[in-house]
Amino acid sequence: MVTGASRGLGLQMVESLATGSFSPGKIIATARDPSRAQVNKPLKNVQSPSARSPELHDTLAQPLPTHQLYNLPYVVSQDSIEKAAKEVDTIVQGEGLNCLINNAGINVIADFETVTAEQMLENFHTNSVAPLMVTKALLPLLQRAATRGTGMGIHRAAVINITSLLGSIELYWGDRANTFKWYPYRTSKGPVWEPLQVDVAALNMLSRCMAVDLQDEGILCMALHPGWVRTDMGGPQAPLSTEESISSVLSVIGGLTEKDHGGFLHYTGEPLPW
Ligand code: NDP
């Protein structure tokens, strides 16, 4: 299940999963406004590997992927999260949910001079609080999937938080501290910077907190930076295309094991400093 699949990286994840050689069986793409989502058109046109090539399907012995576009109106609305969790339950049924990708996010740009409390809270709500609430609502389905198998990874259950290198405290210093002075976004992804007095846990720390609490359930939790990518958020000057980023992101996700539990990885698979 991928949140924020209407455009950008979320849309690319869904398209790549639907058309690539690895079929997860069921793909649940959520968009807050499916009528506007770009995902409607590509998904209708997407052909599963088996539709394109029955041989491939037979060889891989994979079931037909099912593409579901589910309306998760706002990841910041508890009602819509709970409604979505019920519908996801009816889609996955006894198998449970193997992989939740918390991808939906916003980038509120404001520097020290211009930032307001409302901007900070808006960015925290979408990027930090919502992934926690979405994961909590889907926990029974993740637990169900995690009852099968040993070790950790998407063969059991995993929560992937799409975070940002801009949230790394260690990397925001010296030469690197002259760019992207975005208080709301950097702090919503990275650990809270104490002087800001914001008592909401940020996404990177949240990933570690969930990793501590869900370890005994066998549910892998980690934070993943997708690279700087040409999307509405990343802008046209970003070096990576969505295809380049997501092909690597999906390969990293597919290879996650217990050694990655609680970690913060670059889209190349390299560990990043917190
Ligand atoms: P985009 O701005 O292109 O897409 C953002 C997605 O999040 C859209 O699908 C949007 O839906 C959805 N979304 C935003 N707010 C909400 C909400 N309240 N409820 C439901 N859905 C919401 O961003 P990217 O694809 O570039 O980014 C995806 C993730 O990757 C984000 O978490 C971002 O922080 C992270 N990231 C991106 C980088 C980049 O270079 N692009 C770099 C590092 C991290 P809608 O269409 O309805 O607005």
Side-chain angles (χ1 to χ4, degrees):
M1 170 171 162
V2 182
T3 66
S6 57
R7 57 195 165 93
L9 294 172
L11 173 59
Q12 186 63 51
M13 282 179 212
V14 172
E15 285 188 297
S16 297
L17 283 170
T19 55
S21 56
F22 168 74
S23 163
K26 290 179 182 171
I27 304 164
I28 302 171
T30 76
R32 59 176 153 177
D33 184 357
S35 64
R36 274 193 317 125
Q38 292 170 15
V39 76
N40 277 332
K41 189 163 168 279
L43 273 191
K44 274 190 193 141
N45 293 337
V46 157
Q47 288 197 317
S48 66
S50 55
R52 277 188 284 120
S53 159
E55 299 78 23
L56 181 63
H57 172 59
D58 292 345
T59 312
L60 297 175
Q62 286 169 343
L64 260 173
T66 307
H67 314 303
Q68 302 268 359
L69 180 64
Y70 180 70
N71 180 12
L72 179 59
Y74 294 94
V75 288
V76 292
S77 152
Q78 192 59 27
D79 276 357
S80 78
I81 290 171
E82 283 166 18
K83 189 163 161 275
K86 285 201 184 98
E87 299 218 10
V88 174
D89 194 358
T90 63
I91 296 166
V92 298
Q93 299 183 349
E95 291 173 56
L97 185 64
N98 290 105
C99 186
L100 165 64
I101 304 182
N102 284 313
N103 164 76
I106 55 169
N107 178 12
V108 178
I109 296 175
D111 64 12
F112 185 76
E113 297 294 324
T114 59
V115 69
T116 64
E118 289 72 23
Q119 287 176 316
M120 292 295 294
L121 293 173
E122 181 193 1
N123 221 148
F124 271 114
H125 205 168
T126 305
N127 290 7
S128 323
V129 182
L132 173 61
M133 294 306 153
V134 169
T135 308
K136 273 167 66 90
L138 293 167
L139 182 60
L141 311 185
L142 292 160
Q143 286 169 324
R144 201 180 295 160
T147 55
R148 287 186 300 278
T150 54
M152 283 183 137
I154 55 166
H155 61 287
R156 285 184 80 188
V159 178
I160 315 298
N161 292 323
I162 300 298
T163 184
S164 174
L165 189 141
L166 295 185
S168 168
I169 287 182
E170 196 171 326
L171 294 179
Y172 192 50
W173 203 242
D175 292 346
R176 286 172 179 262
N178 293 323
T179 52
F180 306 119
K181 297 187 168 197
W182 303 335
Y183 274 62
Y185 185 71
R186 279 186 181 273
T187 53
S188 74
K189 294 287 188 180
V192 173
W193 187 33
E194 223 177 308
L196 289 171
Q197 303 283 313
V198 179
D199 60 356
V200 186
L203 188 60
N204 288 0
M205 179 54 105
L206 176 88
S207 304
R208 182 57 77 81
C209 291
M210 293 198 300
V212 169
D213 285 326
L214 302 185
Q215 176 155 332
D216 289 347
E217 315 253 15
I219 300 172
L220 185 149
C221 301
M222 56 87 62
L224 182 57
H225 169 64
W228 184 15
V229 193
R230 291 188 294 278
T231 61
D232 292 340
M233 185 187 292
Q237 72 278 36
L240 293 174
S241 67
T242 55
E243 290 87 351
E244 287 165 331
S245 161
I246 294 309
S247 122
S248 189
V249 160
L250 293 179
S251 150
V252 169
I253 291 175
L256 292 172
T257 65
E258 46 273 29
K259 75 175 174 11
D260 305 302
H261 180 59
F264 177 20
L265 296 185
H266 199 248
Y267 74 102
T268 55
E270 297 296 311
L272 282 170
W274 295 101

